[in-house]
Amino acid sequence: MEVNDILHEDISKLNDLFIPDCFEGSVADLRAMQAALAKIVDALGEQSAAAQGLNRIITTADKLRASPTHTLYLLKDATAKNGKGEVIGLLKVGYKHLFLFDERDHVHEVEPLCVLDFYIVRDRQRSGYGRVLFDYMLHDMEMHAHQLAIDGPSAKMEQFLAKNYEVERLLRQNNNFAVAPQFFERFADISNKSGRSTPAVAAAVGRFAAPKPHSAIANVIHGGASYYAENNGDEERLPEPLPWAPPAPELDDGPNWDDDDYQPEVACKPPSPERPSTLPVEPEAGAPPAAPAAFADVPAAGLPSGASTPASGSGAAGAARRDSQLTDKGYFDVKFYHNRLW
Ligand code: ACO
């Protein structure tokens, strides 16, 4: 299947459905078209990653289909390859939840449209195709270039923005994104009108500004790369995983690995029965009714009646307390121990 058979317009727009706007045909045609289109997208995504020196490919058909907030624009030259057509550029954008610092080190929690991947095939670069594709996206998204966040802009990208959109410089962020200084203008307007400034958080400086390595603890608690991505914005330009990951910390004595019957535990253990989450509550005021035998007479499991527990003390006073103020495990119930307020 040739490019001109798949993509009818010079610039085609794709989302997670992975069906060009102009497509018409049977289900079998759709499957065949999508398979051919996936090959084109994957090949171009690979070239883009190579051109930018990235370890991971940012744009693939599978990733697009798994990303409902992403949009991919493909630029073709319909006359190339003896009229069969050739895809010569891609531009992928999508919305991301980001924390961005302006020039005054005020942090803004925003969800801007981000340029995630941008590539024109090598022998077509510097011929104006990038500008055509970028202009189309801006018009389609009703955005200005300075309103976008750029994911890991290359030197070529910076020059491209400076030349074509008067974005003379970019403010690089710790999360690998960069924005034009004008990006924050609309937030400044809002704060001036309301008389309130943007909530300020101390900016990371010096060594604190260095990219943080993956935390094994954070992975355990928050679920690994997805948490990193959500809170750092950059889901696809993540650092390579470590060849060796430290084991998750043990929260108890650990499993007996030699035991054939050993079953791995789930991460969230149910509350231990040793520590009841609620304690029996006694009625207050006046003469308390007789406590149930099980509560009054059995101070501690496995302890003989009257034996001293860590909390029970000894003697008559201790025995009296034991009757009324102990948990069913024989420990003093903290609800009876408080400083008097009056
Ligand atoms: N060196 C320096 N500047 C360049 C280069 C280059 N090799 N190529 C393009 N530019 C800049 C220049 O400002 C140039 O103007 P000039 O020729 O007068 O100096 C301008 O872009 C040309 O504009 P276009 O012809 O419209 O852009 P082009 O078709 O070349 O597309 C693009 C720009 C996409 C950046 C292309 O050069 C490319 O694919 N580069 C390799 C991949 C890349 O770096 N992509 C951006 C990664 S960032 C991201 O994806 C979020």
Side-chain angles (χ1 to χ4, degrees):
M1 199 176 270
E2 307 299 343
V3 167
N4 282 342
D5 300 329
I6 302 170
L7 306 171
H8 296 175
E9 308 295 330
D10 283 346
I11 296 179
S12 301
K13 184 177 166 182
L14 292 170
N15 57 22
D16 57 331
L17 294 178
F18 208 62
I19 305 173
D21 289 339
C22 55
F23 177 80
E24 284 177 11
S26 66
V27 174
D29 294 339
L30 176 67
R31 297 273 176 267
M33 181 279 295
Q34 287 182 319
L37 186 57
K39 280 186 186 165
I40 293 169
V41 169
D42 290 353
L44 212 56
E46 204 174 325
Q47 288 178 46
S48 177
Q52 297 175 59
L54 301 174
N55 293 331
R56 291 166 192 260
I57 298 171
I58 308 289
T59 303
T60 67
D62 284 347
K63 283 186 179 179
L64 184 65
R65 298 177 90 155
S67 308
T69 63
H70 292 180
T71 304
L72 178 67
Y73 297 90
L74 294 177
L75 174 67
K76 76 166 184 178
D77 176 358
T79 61
K81 300 206 170 165
N82 297 323
K84 293 175 182 167
E86 179 189 13
V87 176
I88 61 169
L90 69 78
L91 173 57
K92 187 167 83 166
V93 295
Y95 288 91
K96 297 268 181 182
H97 187 190
L98 301 174
F99 291 89
L100 300 174
F101 288 90
D102 64 19
E103 288 185 288
R104 292 177 299 156
D105 280 347
H106 286 188
V107 71
H108 302 262
E109 185 180 1
V110 289
E111 197 159 333
L113 186 68
C114 303
V115 180
L116 305 172
D117 200 5
F118 186 28
Y119 177 67
I120 299 292
V121 295
R122 196 185 177 92
D123 58 345
R124 306 292 190 114
Q125 290 176 14
R126 287 190 132 159
S127 306
Y129 290 112
R131 170 85 197 235
V132 169
L133 190 51
F134 211 85
D135 276 350
Y136 185 96
M137 179 276 294
L138 290 176
H139 183 259
D140 186 47
M141 292 286 181
E142 300 179 354
M143 302 287 284
H144 295 285
H146 68 260
Q147 295 174 321
L148 303 170
I150 317 291
D151 189 1
S154 64
K156 289 181 185 179
M157 183 69 184
E158 288 190 77
Q159 294 194 34
F160 171 85
L161 290 171
K163 184 193 171 188
N164 293 311
Y165 301 102
E166 295 171 353
V167 175
E168 298 301 336
R169 64 195 174 92
L170 292 172
L171 303 176
R172 296 254 177 188
Q173 309 282 320
N174 289 340
N175 55 15
N176 208 30
F177 281 78
V179 290
Q182 306 95 301
F183 178 91
F184 298 102
E185 277 173 4
R186 49 193 161 145
F187 305 113
D189 287 341
I190 291 167
S191 62
N192 289 342
K193 276 177 199 157
S194 68
R196 297 172 59 188
S197 63
T198 310
V201 174
V205 291
R207 67 193 172 92
F208 299 109
K212 293 181 182 61
H214 272 239
S215 157
I217 299 293
N219 284 349
V220 170
I221 296 172
H222 299 294
S226 60
Y227 173 76
Y228 178 93
E230 275 174 28
N231 290 276
N232 291 276
D234 198 349
E235 109 194 347
E236 290 165 323
R237 296 179 195 239
L238 286 174
E240 284 289 320
L242 294 172
W244 174 84
E250 297 290 346
L251 300 178
D252 54 19
D253 292 334
N256 179 4
W257 298 102
D258 296 324
D259 186 353
D260 287 337
D261 294 327
Y262 168 70
Q263 295 287 327
E265 290 183 19
V266 291
C268 285
K269 294 173 69 172
S272 163
E274 295 299 315
R275 288 177 180 268
S277 55
T278 57
L279 293 169
V281 179
E282 283 195 294
E284 290 193 15
F295 181 56
D297 295 332
V298 186
L303 283 179
S305 178
S308 178
T309 68
S312 64
S314 59
R321 283 179 184 175
R322 196 166 58 240
D323 284 340
S324 61
Q325 299 177 1
L326 295 184
T327 69
D328 57 357
K329 297 295 179 194
Y331 291 83
F332 279 151
D333 191 334
V334 291
K335 73 173 178 285
F336 294 107
Y337 287 83
H338 55 265
N339 292 329
R340 288 181 180 278
L341 298 176
W342 58 88

